[in-house]
Coordinates of all heavy atoms in Angstrom, one line a residue:
M380 N 0.9 -1.2 0.0 CA 0.0 0.0 0.0 C 0.9 1.2 0.0 O 1.8 1.3 0.8 CB -0.9 0.0 1.3 CG -2.0 1.0 1.2 SD -3.0 1.1 2.7 CE -3.6 -0.7 2.7
K381 N 0.6 2.1 -0.9 CA 1.4 3.3 -1.0 C 0.5 4.6 -0.8 O -0.5 4.7 -1.4 CB 2.0 3.4 -2.4 CG 3.5 3.7 -2.3 CD 4.2 3.4 -3.6 CE 4.8 4.7 -4.2 NZ 5.1 4.5 -5.6
L382 N 0.9 5.4 0.1 CA 0.2 6.6 0.3 C 0.8 7.8 -0.4 O 2.0 7.8 -0.6 CB 0.1 6.9 1.8 CG -0.6 5.9 2.7 CD1 -0.6 6.4 4.1 CD2 -2.0 5.7 2.2
N383 N 0.0 8.7 -0.8 CA 0.5 9.9 -1.4 C 1.3 10.7 -0.4 O 1.2 10.5 0.8 CB -0.6 10.7 -2.0 CG -1.3 10.1 -3.1 OD1 -0.7 9.2 -3.8 ND2 -2.5 10.4 -3.3
N384 N 2.1 11.5 -0.9 CA 2.9 12.3 -0.1 C 2.0 13.2 0.8 O 1.2 13.9 0.3 CB 3.8 13.2 -0.9 CG 4.8 13.9 -0.1 OD1 4.9 13.7 1.1 ND2 5.5 14.8 -0.8
L385 N 2.2 13.0 2.1 CA 1.4 13.8 3.0 C 2.1 14.9 3.7 O 1.7 15.6 4.6 CB 0.9 12.9 4.2 CG -0.1 11.8 3.7 CD1 -0.4 10.8 4.8 CD2 -1.4 12.4 3.2
D386 N 3.3 15.2 3.1 CA 4.0 16.3 3.7 C 3.3 17.6 3.5 O 2.8 17.9 2.5 CB 5.4 16.4 3.0 CG 6.4 15.4 3.5 OD1 6.0 14.8 4.5 OD2 7.5 15.2 3.0
R387 N 3.3 18.4 4.5 CA 2.7 19.7 4.5 C 3.6 20.7 5.0 O 4.4 20.4 6.0 CB 1.4 19.7 5.3 CG 0.4 18.8 4.9 CD -0.6 19.4 4.0 NE -1.3 18.4 3.4 CZ -2.6 18.0 3.6 NH1 -3.3 18.6 4.5 NH2 -3.1 17.0 3.0
Q388 N 3.6 21.8 4.4 CA 4.3 22.9 5.0 C 3.4 23.7 5.9 O 2.3 24.1 5.5 CB 4.8 23.8 3.9 CG 5.7 24.9 4.3 CD 7.1 24.6 3.9 OE1 7.4 24.1 2.9 NE2 8.1 25.1 4.8
I389 N 3.8 23.8 7.1 CA 3.0 24.6 8.0 C 3.6 26.0 8.2 O 4.8 26.1 8.5 CB 2.9 23.9 9.4 CG1 2.3 22.5 9.3 CG2 2.1 24.8 10.4 CD1 2.3 21.8 10.6
S390 N 2.8 27.0 7.9 CA 3.3 28.3 8.0 C 3.0 28.8 9.5 O 1.9 28.9 9.9 CB 2.6 29.3 7.0 OG 2.7 28.8 5.7
M391 N 4.1 29.1 10.2 CA 4.0 29.6 11.5 C 3.6 31.1 11.4 O 4.1 31.8 10.5 CB 5.3 29.5 12.2 CG 5.8 28.1 12.3 SD 5.1 27.2 13.6 CE 6.3 25.9 13.8
L392 N 2.8 31.5 12.3 CA 2.4 32.9 12.3 C 3.0 33.7 13.5 O 3.1 33.1 14.6 CB 0.9 33.1 12.3 CG 0.1 32.4 11.2 CD1 -1.4 32.6 11.4 CD2 0.5 32.9 9.9
C393 N 3.3 34.9 13.2 CA 3.8 35.7 14.3 C 2.7 36.0 15.3 O 1.6 36.4 14.9 CB 4.4 37.0 13.8 SG 4.7 38.3 15.1
P394 N 2.8 35.7 16.6 CA 1.7 35.9 17.5 C 1.4 37.4 17.7 O 0.3 37.7 18.2 CB 2.3 35.3 18.8 CG 3.7 35.1 18.6 CD 4.0 35.1 17.2
T395 N 2.2 38.2 17.3 CA 2.0 39.7 17.5 C 1.2 40.2 16.3 O 0.2 40.9 16.4 CB 3.3 40.5 17.7 OG1 3.9 39.9 18.9 CG2 3.0 41.9 17.9
C396 N 1.7 40.0 15.1 CA 1.2 40.7 13.9 C 0.6 39.7 12.9 O 0.0 40.1 11.9 CB 2.2 41.6 13.3 SG 3.5 40.7 12.5
G397 N 0.8 38.4 13.1 CA 0.3 37.4 12.1 C 1.1 37.3 10.9 O 0.6 36.6 9.9
C398 N 2.2 37.9 10.8 CA 3.1 37.8 9.7 C 3.7 36.4 9.6 O 3.9 35.8 10.6 CB 4.2 38.9 9.8 SG 5.3 38.8 8.4
K399 N 3.9 35.9 8.3 CA 4.4 34.6 8.2 C 5.9 34.5 7.9 O 6.5 33.5 7.8 CB 3.7 33.9 6.9 CG 2.3 33.4 7.2 CD 1.8 32.8 6.0 CE 0.3 32.5 6.1 NZ -0.3 32.1 4.8
D400 N 6.5 35.7 7.8 CA 7.9 35.7 7.4 C 8.8 36.0 8.6 O 8.6 37.0 9.4 CB 8.2 36.8 6.4 CG 7.5 36.4 5.1 OD1 7.5 35.2 4.7 OD2 6.9 37.3 4.4
F401 N 9.7 35.1 8.8 CA 10.7 35.3 9.9 C 12.1 35.2 9.4 O 12.3 34.5 8.4 CB 10.5 34.2 11.0 CG 9.1 34.2 11.6 CD1 8.1 33.4 11.0 CD2 8.8 34.9 12.7 CE1 6.8 33.5 11.6 CE2 7.6 35.0 13.3 CZ 6.6 34.2 12.7
S402 N 12.9 35.9 10.0 CA 14.3 35.7 9.7 C 15.0 35.0 10.8 O 14.7 35.2 12.0 CB 15.0 37.1 9.4 OG 15.0 37.8 10.6
F403 N 15.9 34.1 10.4 CA 16.6 33.3 11.5 C 17.9 32.8 10.9 O 18.1 32.7 9.7 CB 15.7 32.2 12.0 CG 15.2 31.3 10.9 CD1 15.9 30.2 10.4 CD2 13.9 31.6 10.3 CE1 15.4 29.4 9.4 CE2 13.4 30.8 9.3 CZ 14.1 29.7 8.9
D404 N 18.8 32.4 11.8 CA 20.0 31.8 11.4 C 19.9 30.3 11.2 O 19.6 29.6 12.1 CB 21.1 32.1 12.4 CG 22.5 31.6 12.0 OD1 22.6 31.0 11.0 OD2 23.4 31.9 12.8
E405 N 20.0 29.9 9.9 CA 19.7 28.4 9.7 C 20.8 27.5 10.3 O 20.5 26.4 10.6 CB 19.7 28.2 8.2 CG 18.3 28.4 7.6 CD 18.3 28.1 6.1 OE1 18.8 27.1 5.7 OE2 17.8 29.0 5.3
Q406 N 21.9 28.1 10.6 CA 23.0 27.3 11.2 C 22.7 27.1 12.7 O 23.2 26.1 13.3 CB 24.3 28.0 11.0 CG 24.7 28.4 9.6 CD 24.7 27.2 8.7 OE1 25.2 26.1 9.0 NE2 24.2 27.3 7.4
D407 N 22.1 28.0 13.3 CA 21.9 28.0 14.7 C 20.5 27.6 15.1 O 19.5 28.4 15.1 CB 22.1 29.4 15.2 CG 22.1 29.5 16.7 OD1 21.9 28.4 17.4 OD2 22.1 30.6 17.3
E408 N 20.4 26.3 15.4 CA 19.0 25.7 15.7 C 18.4 26.3 17.0 O 17.2 26.2 17.1 CB 19.1 24.2 15.8 CG 19.0 23.6 14.4 CD 18.8 22.1 14.5 OE1 18.1 21.6 15.4 OE2 19.3 21.4 13.6
N409 N 19.2 26.8 17.9 CA 18.7 27.3 19.1 C 18.6 28.9 19.1 O 18.3 29.5 20.0 CB 19.5 26.9 20.3 CG 19.6 25.4 20.4 OD1 18.5 24.7 20.4 ND2 20.7 24.8 20.5
G410 N 18.8 29.4 17.9 CA 18.8 30.8 17.7 C 17.4 31.4 17.8 O 16.4 30.6 17.6
L411 N 17.3 32.7 17.9 CA 16.0 33.3 17.9 C 15.5 33.5 16.5 O 16.3 33.7 15.6 CB 16.1 34.7 18.7 CG 16.4 34.6 20.2 CD1 16.6 36.0 20.7 CD2 15.2 34.0 20.9
V412 N 14.2 33.5 16.4 CA 13.7 33.9 15.1 C 13.1 35.3 15.2 O 12.6 35.7 16.3 CB 12.6 32.9 14.6 CG1 13.1 31.6 14.3 CG2 11.4 32.8 15.6
T413 N 13.2 36.1 14.2 CA 12.8 37.5 14.2 C 11.7 37.7 13.2 O 11.9 37.3 12.0 CB 13.9 38.4 14.0 OG1 15.0 38.1 14.8 CG2 13.5 39.9 14.2
C414 N 10.5 38.2 13.6 CA 9.5 38.5 12.7 C 10.0 39.7 11.8 O 10.4 40.7 12.3 CB 8.2 38.9 13.4 SG 6.9 39.5 12.4
V415 N 9.8 39.5 10.5 CA 10.3 40.5 9.6 C 9.5 41.8 9.6 O 9.9 42.9 9.3 CB 10.5 40.1 8.1 CG1 11.6 39.0 8.1 CG2 9.2 39.6 7.6
Q416 N 8.2 41.6 10.1 CA 7.3 42.8 10.1 C 7.4 43.6 11.3 O 7.6 44.8 11.3 CB 5.9 42.3 9.8 CG 5.0 43.4 9.3 CD 3.7 42.8 8.7 OE1 3.7 42.1 7.6 NE2 2.6 42.9 9.4
C417 N 7.2 42.9 12.5 CA 7.1 43.7 13.7 C 8.4 43.6 14.5 O 8.6 44.1 15.6 CB 5.9 43.4 14.6 SG 6.0 41.7 15.3
E418 N 9.3 42.8 14.0 CA 10.6 42.5 14.6 C 10.6 41.9 16.0 O 11.5 42.0 16.8 CB 11.5 43.8 14.6 CG 11.7 44.3 13.2 CD 12.7 45.5 13.2 OE1 12.7 46.3 14.1 OE2 13.5 45.6 12.2
R419 N 9.5 41.2 16.3 CA 9.4 40.5 17.6 C 10.4 39.3 17.5 O 10.4 38.6 16.5 CB 8.0 40.0 17.8 CG 7.9 39.2 19.0 CD 6.5 38.9 19.4 NE 6.5 37.9 20.5 CZ 5.4 37.5 21.1 NH1 4.3 37.9 20.8 NH2 5.5 36.6 22.1
Q420 N 11.1 39.1 18.5 CA 12.0 38.0 18.6 C 11.5 36.9 19.5 O 11.0 37.3 20.6 CB 13.4 38.5 19.1 CG 14.1 39.2 18.1 CD 15.6 39.4 18.5 OE1 15.9 39.7 19.6 NE2 16.5 39.1 17.5
L421 N 11.5 35.7 19.1 CA 11.2 34.6 20.0 C 11.9 33.4 19.6 O 12.5 33.3 18.5 CB 9.6 34.4 20.0 CG 8.8 34.0 18.8 CD1 7.4 33.8 19.3 CD2 8.8 35.1 17.8
T422 N 12.0 32.5 20.6 CA 12.7 31.2 20.3 C 11.8 30.4 19.4 O 10.6 30.6 19.3 CB 13.0 30.4 21.6 OG1 11.7 30.1 22.2 CG2 13.8 31.3 22.6
R423 N 12.4 29.4 18.8 CA 11.6 28.5 17.9 C 10.6 27.7 18.8 O 9.5 27.5 18.3 CB 12.5 27.5 17.3 CG 13.3 28.1 16.1 CD 14.4 27.2 15.6 NE 15.3 28.0 14.9 CZ 15.9 27.7 13.7 NH1 15.6 26.6 13.2 NH2 16.8 28.5 13.2
A424 N 11.0 27.4 20.0 CA 10.1 26.6 20.9 C 8.8 27.5 21.2 O 7.7 27.0 21.1 CB 10.8 26.2 22.2
D425 N 9.1 28.8 21.4 CA 8.0 29.7 21.7 C 7.1 29.8 20.5 O 5.8 29.8 20.6 CB 8.5 31.1 22.0 CG 8.9 31.1 23.5 OD1 8.6 30.2 24.3 OD2 9.6 32.1 23.9
L426 N 7.7 29.9 19.3 CA 6.9 30.0 18.1 C 6.0 28.8 17.9 O 4.9 28.9 17.5 CB 7.9 30.2 16.9 CG 7.3 30.6 15.6 CD1 6.6 31.9 15.6 CD2 8.3 30.6 14.5
V427 N 6.6 27.6 18.2 CA 5.8 26.4 18.1 C 4.6 26.4 19.1 O 3.5 26.0 18.7 CB 6.7 25.1 18.3 CG1 5.9 23.9 18.4 CG2 7.7 25.0 17.1
T428 N 4.9 26.9 20.3 CA 3.9 26.9 21.3 C 2.8 27.9 20.9 O 1.6 27.5 21.0 CB 4.5 27.4 22.7 OG1 5.6 26.6 23.0 CG2 3.5 27.3 23.8
E429 N 3.2 29.0 20.4 CA 2.2 30.0 20.0 C 1.4 29.5 18.8 O 0.2 29.9 18.6 CB 2.9 31.3 19.5 CG 3.7 32.0 20.6 CD 2.7 32.8 21.5 OE1 1.5 32.8 21.3 OE2 3.2 33.4 22.5
N430 N 1.9 28.6 18.0 CA 1.2 28.1 16.9 C 0.7 26.7 17.1 O 0.3 26.0 16.1 CB 2.2 28.1 15.6 CG 2.4 29.5 15.1 OD1 1.5 29.9 14.3 ND2 3.4 30.2 15.5
S431 N 0.6 26.2 18.3 CA 0.3 24.8 18.6 C -1.1 24.5 18.0 O -1.3 23.4 17.5 CB 0.4 24.5 20.1 OG -0.4 25.4 20.8
E432 N -2.0 25.4 18.1 CA -3.4 25.2 17.6 C -3.4 24.9 16.1 O -4.0 24.0 15.6 CB -4.3 26.4 17.9 CG -5.6 26.0 18.4 CD -6.3 27.2 19.0 OE1 -6.1 27.7 20.1 OE2 -7.1 27.8 18.2
L433 N -2.6 25.8 15.5 CA -2.5 25.7 14.0 C -1.8 24.4 13.6 O -2.3 23.7 12.7 CB -1.6 26.9 13.6 CG -1.6 27.3 12.1 CD1 -2.9 28.1 11.9 CD2 -0.4 28.1 11.8
I434 N -0.8 24.0 14.4 CA -0.1 22.8 14.1 C -1.0 21.6 14.3 O -1.1 20.6 13.5 CB 1.2 22.7 14.9 CG1 2.2 23.8 14.5 CG2 1.8 21.3 14.8 CD1 3.3 24.0 15.5
A435 N -1.8 21.6 15.4 CA -2.7 20.5 15.7 C -3.7 20.4 14.6 O -4.1 19.3 14.2 CB -3.4 20.8 17.1
E436 N -4.2 21.5 14.1 CA -5.2 21.5 13.0 C -4.6 20.8 11.8 O -5.3 20.0 11.1 CB -5.6 22.9 12.7 CG -7.0 23.2 12.6 CD -7.3 24.7 12.6 OE1 -7.0 25.2 11.5 OE2 -7.7 25.3 13.6
N437 N -3.4 21.1 11.5 CA -2.7 20.6 10.4 C -2.5 19.1 10.5 O -2.7 18.3 9.6 CB -1.4 21.2 10.2 CG -1.4 22.3 9.1 OD1 -1.3 21.9 7.9 ND2 -1.5 23.5 9.5
Q438 N -2.2 18.6 11.7 CA -2.0 17.2 12.0 C -3.3 16.5 11.8 O -3.4 15.4 11.2 CB -1.5 17.0 13.4 CG 0.0 17.3 13.5 CD 0.5 17.3 14.9 OE1 -0.2 17.5 15.8 NE2 1.8 17.1 15.1
N439 N -4.4 17.1 12.3 CA -5.7 16.5 12.1 C -6.0 16.2 10.6 O -6.5 15.2 10.2 CB -6.9 17.3 12.6 CG -6.9 17.2 14.2 OD1 -6.4 16.2 14.7 ND2 -7.6 18.2 14.8
E440 N -5.7 17.2 9.8 CA -5.9 17.2 8.4 C -5.1 16.1 7.7 O -5.6 15.4 6.9 CB -5.6 18.5 7.7 CG -6.9 19.1 7.1 CD -6.7 20.5 6.7 OE1 -5.9 20.7 5.8 OE2 -7.3 21.4 7.4
I441 N -3.9 15.9 8.2 CA -3.0 14.9 7.6 C -3.6 13.5 8.0 O -3.7 12.7 7.1 CB -1.6 15.1 8.2 CG1 -1.0 16.3 7.6 CG2 -0.8 13.8 7.8 CD1 0.4 16.7 8.2
V442 N -4.1 13.4 9.2 CA -4.7 12.1 9.6 C -5.9 11.8 8.8 O -6.1 10.7 8.3 CB -5.0 12.1 11.1 CG1 -5.9 10.9 11.5 CG2 -3.8 12.2 12.0
K443 N -6.7 12.8 8.6 CA -7.9 12.7 7.8 C -7.6 12.2 6.4 O -8.2 11.3 5.8 CB -8.7 14.0 7.7 CG -10.0 14.0 8.6 CD -10.8 15.2 8.2 CE -10.7 16.2 9.3 NZ -11.2 17.5 8.8
E444 N -6.6 12.9 5.8 CA -6.2 12.6 4.4 C -5.6 11.2 4.4 O -6.0 10.5 3.4 CB -5.1 13.6 4.0 CG -4.6 13.5 2.6 CD -5.7 13.7 1.6 OE1 -6.7 14.5 1.9 OE2 -5.6 13.2 0.5
A445 N -4.9 10.8 5.3 CA -4.3 9.4 5.3 C -5.4 8.4 5.4 O -5.3 7.4 4.7 CB -3.3 9.3 6.5
K446 N -6.4 8.6 6.2 CA -7.5 7.7 6.4 C -8.2 7.6 5.1 O -8.6 6.4 4.7 CB -8.5 8.3 7.5 CG -8.2 7.7 8.8 CD -9.4 8.0 9.7 CE -9.0 7.9 11.2 NZ -9.9 8.7 12.0
K447 N -8.5 8.7 4.4 CA -9.2 8.6 3.1 C -8.4 7.7 2.1 O -9.0 6.9 1.4 CB -9.3 10.1 2.6 CG -10.7 10.5 2.4 CD -10.7 11.8 1.6 CE -10.6 13.0 2.3 NZ -10.4 14.2 1.5
Q448 N -7.1 7.9 2.1 CA -6.3 7.2 1.2 C -6.3 5.7 1.5 O -6.3 4.9 0.6 CB -4.9 7.7 1.2 CG -4.7 9.1 0.5 CD -3.3 9.5 0.4 OE1 -2.4 8.7 0.3 NE2 -3.1 10.8 0.4
V449 N -6.2 5.4 2.8 CA -6.2 4.0 3.2 C -7.5 3.4 2.9 O -7.6 2.2 2.3 CB -6.0 3.9 4.7 CG1 -6.2 2.4 5.2 CG2 -4.5 4.3 5.0
E450 N -8.6 4.0 3.1 CA -9.9 3.5 2.8 C -10.1 3.2 1.3 O -10.6 2.2 0.8 CB -11.1 4.5 3.2 CG -11.6 4.2 4.6 CD -12.4 5.3 5.1 OE1 -13.1 6.0 4.3 OE2 -12.3 5.5 6.3
A451 N -9.7 4.2 0.5 CA -9.7 4.0 -1.0 C -8.9 2.8 -1.4 O -9.3 2.0 -2.3 CB -9.2 5.3 -1.7
E452 N -7.7 2.7 -0.8 CA -6.8 1.6 -1.1 C -7.4 0.2 -0.7 O -7.3 -0.7 -1.5 CB -5.5 1.8 -0.4 CG -4.3 1.2 -1.0 CD -4.0 1.7 -2.4 OE1 -4.2 2.9 -2.6 OE2 -3.6 0.9 -3.2
M453 N -8.1 0.2 0.4 CA -8.7 -1.1 0.9 C -9.8 -1.5 -0.1 O -10.0 -2.7 -0.4 CB -9.4 -0.9 2.3 CG -8.4 -0.6 3.4 SD -7.4 -2.0 3.7 CE -8.4 -2.8 5.0
K454 N -10.6 -0.5 -0.5 CA -11.7 -0.8 -1.5 C -11.1 -1.4 -2.8 O -11.6 -2.4 -3.3 CB -12.5 0.5 -1.8 CG -13.7 0.6 -0.9 CD -14.4 1.9 -1.4 CE -15.2 2.4 -0.2 NZ -15.6 3.8 -0.4
K455 N -10.0 -0.8 -3.2 CA -9.3 -1.3 -4.4 C -8.9 -2.8 -4.2 O -9.1 -3.6 -5.1 CB -8.2 -0.4 -4.7 CG -8.2 0.2 -6.1 CD -6.9 0.8 -6.5 CE -6.8 2.3 -6.0 NZ -5.4 2.8 -6.2
M456 N -8.3 -3.0 -3.0 CA -7.8 -4.3 -2.7 C -8.9 -5.4 -2.7 O -8.8 -6.5 -3.2 CB -7.1 -4.3 -1.4 CG -5.6 -3.8 -1.5 SD -4.9 -3.4 0.0 CE -4.8 -4.9 0.9
L457 N -10.0 -5.0 -2.1 CA -11.2 -5.9 -2.1 C -11.7 -6.2 -3.5 O -12.0 -7.3 -3.8 CB -12.3 -5.3 -1.2 CG -12.2 -5.4 0.3 CD1 -13.3 -4.6 1.0 CD2 -12.2 -6.9 0.7
K458 N -11.8 -5.2 -4.3 CA -12.2 -5.4 -5.7 C -11.3 -6.3 -6.4 O -11.7 -7.3 -7.1 CB -12.2 -4.0 -6.4 CG -13.6 -3.5 -6.7 CD -13.5 -2.4 -7.7 CE -14.7 -1.4 -7.4 NZ -14.3 -0.1 -8.0
N459 N -10.0 -6.1 -6.2 CA -9.0 -6.9 -6.9 C -9.1 -8.4 -6.4 O -8.9 -9.3 -7.2 CB -7.6 -6.4 -6.7 CG -7.4 -5.1 -7.5 OD1 -8.1 -4.9 -8.5 ND2 -6.5 -4.3 -7.1
A460 N -9.4 -8.5 -5.1 CA -9.4 -9.9 -4.6 C -10.5 -10.7 -5.2 O -10.3 -11.9 -5.4 CB -9.7 -9.8 -3.1
F461 N -11.6 -10.1 -5.7 CA -12.7 -10.9 -6.3 C -12.6 -10.9 -7.8 O -13.4 -11.5 -8.5 CB -14.0 -10.3 -5.9 CG -14.3 -10.5 -4.4 CD1 -14.3 -9.5 -3.5 CD2 -14.5 -11.8 -4.0 CE1 -14.5 -9.7 -2.2 CE2 -14.7 -12.1 -2.6 CZ -14.7 -11.0 -1.7
K462 N -11.6 -10.2 -8.3 CA -11.5 -10.1 -9.8 C -11.0 -11.4 -10.3 O -10.2 -12.1 -9.8 CB -10.4 -9.0 -10.1 CG -10.9 -8.1 -11.2 CD -9.7 -7.3 -11.6 CE -10.1 -5.8 -11.6 NZ -9.0 -4.9 -11.8
G463 N -11.6 -11.9 -11.4 CA -11.2 -13.1 -12.0 C -11.7 -14.4 -11.3 O -11.3 -15.5 -11.7
N464 N -12.4 -14.2 -10.3 CA -12.9 -15.3 -9.5 C -14.4 -15.6 -9.8 O -15.1 -16.1 -8.9 CB -12.7 -15.2 -8.0 CG -11.2 -15.3 -7.7 OD1 -10.4 -15.8 -8.5 ND2 -10.7 -14.7 -6.7
K465 N -14.9 -15.2 -10.9 CA -16.3 -15.2 -11.2 C -16.8 -16.7 -11.2 O -18.0 -16.9 -10.9 CB -16.6 -14.6 -12.5 CG -16.8 -13.1 -12.4 CD -17.1 -12.5 -13.8 CE -16.8 -11.1 -13.8 NZ -16.4 -10.6 -15.1
N466 N -15.9 -17.6 -11.4 CA -16.4 -19.0 -11.6 C -16.3 -19.8 -10.3 O -16.7 -20.9 -10.2 CB -15.6 -19.7 -12.6 CG -15.8 -19.1 -14.0 OD1 -16.8 -18.6 -14.3 ND2 -14.7 -18.9 -14.7
I467 N -15.9 -19.1 -9.3 CA -15.8 -19.8 -8.0 C -17.2 -19.8 -7.4 O -17.8 -18.7 -7.2 CB -14.7 -19.2 -7.1 CG1 -13.4 -19.5 -7.7 CG2 -14.9 -19.7 -5.7 CD1 -12.2 -18.8 -6.9
K468 N -17.7 -20.9 -7.0 CA -19.0 -20.9 -6.4 C -18.8 -21.3 -4.9 O -18.0 -22.2 -4.6 CB -19.9 -21.9 -7.1 CG -20.5 -21.3 -8.3 CD -21.5 -22.2 -8.9 CE -21.9 -21.7 -10.3 NZ -22.2 -22.7 -11.2
I469 N -19.5 -20.6 -4.1 CA -19.4 -20.9 -2.7 C -20.5 -21.9 -2.4 O -21.7 -21.6 -2.7 CB -19.5 -19.7 -1.8 CG1 -18.3 -18.7 -2.2 CG2 -19.5 -20.1 -0.4 CD1 -18.5 -17.3 -1.8
R470 N -20.1 -23.1 -2.0 CA -21.2 -24.1 -1.7 C -21.6 -24.1 -0.3 O -20.8 -23.9 0.6 CB -20.6 -25.5 -2.0 CG -20.5 -25.7 -3.5 CD -19.6 -26.9 -3.7 NE -19.0 -26.8 -5.0 CZ -19.3 -27.7 -6.0 NH1 -20.1 -28.6 -5.8 NH2 -18.7 -27.5 -7.2
Ligands
LIG1064 ZN1 5.2 40.1 13.8

C-alpha cells in the first residue's frame, strides 16, 4: 500500500502581527527567530507553542487525508481480490 505524499508545509504565524515571514540563522538551531514585520524576537520553541493550535489542526488534516487514502486503497484491494474469480462458487 502506498500513500501519497502527506508532507505539508505549516506556516507559522507571528503571535503579534500574524506575519508569516521570519528571519533566522539556519545554522543556529537554538537561535532566535525574528518577525520581519514587527521585529518581535522569539525562540523556535515559543513560536511552536504559539502556533500549537495551528499545528494541531494541520495534523488532524493529515490524519484525515491518510485515512481517506487507506480507505480507498482497501476498497481497491477488495475489488481486486474478487476479480477473475467469477467462476468460483461458494457451496
Ligand atoms: Zn510580527
Side-chain angles (χ1 to χ4, degrees):
M380 192 184 299
K381 228 165 118 195
L382 296 182
N383 292 335
N384 189 5
L385 293 169
D386 280 352
R387 298 265 160 106
Q388 185 106 33
I389 301 174
S390 307
M391 305 272 201
L392 301 179
C393 168
T395 303
C396 69
C398 176
K399 284 182 191 170
D400 295 319
F401 299 91
S402 64
F403 52 88
D404 183 354
E405 273 181 49
Q406 308 299 323
D407 182 7
E408 274 192 34
N409 299 311
L411 292 173
V412 294
T413 308
C414 173
V415 295
Q416 201 164 288
C417 69
E418 298 190 324
R419 174 169 175 180
Q420 285 195 315
L421 61 175
T422 64
R423 285 171 202 222
D425 280 346
L426 190 61
V427 169
T428 308
E429 295 284 358
N430 283 276
S431 54
E432 223 169 277
L433 201 75
I434 293 165
E436 232 169 73
N437 259 279
Q438 281 170 338
N439 282 342
E440 242 168 69
I441 290 171
V442 169
K443 252 192 259 165
E444 183 62 29
K446 265 194 198 158
K447 243 195 271 167
Q448 285 184 31
V449 170
E450 268 167 35
E452 204 62 36
M453 295 290 270
K454 267 184 208 161
K455 240 192 271 169
M456 277 164 66
L457 278 175
K458 248 192 215 164
N459 286 338
F461 290 112
K462 226 188 233 171
N464 289 336
K465 276 182 197 145
N466 298 322
I467 293 176
K468 282 186 188 144
I469 300 162
R470 288 165 205 247

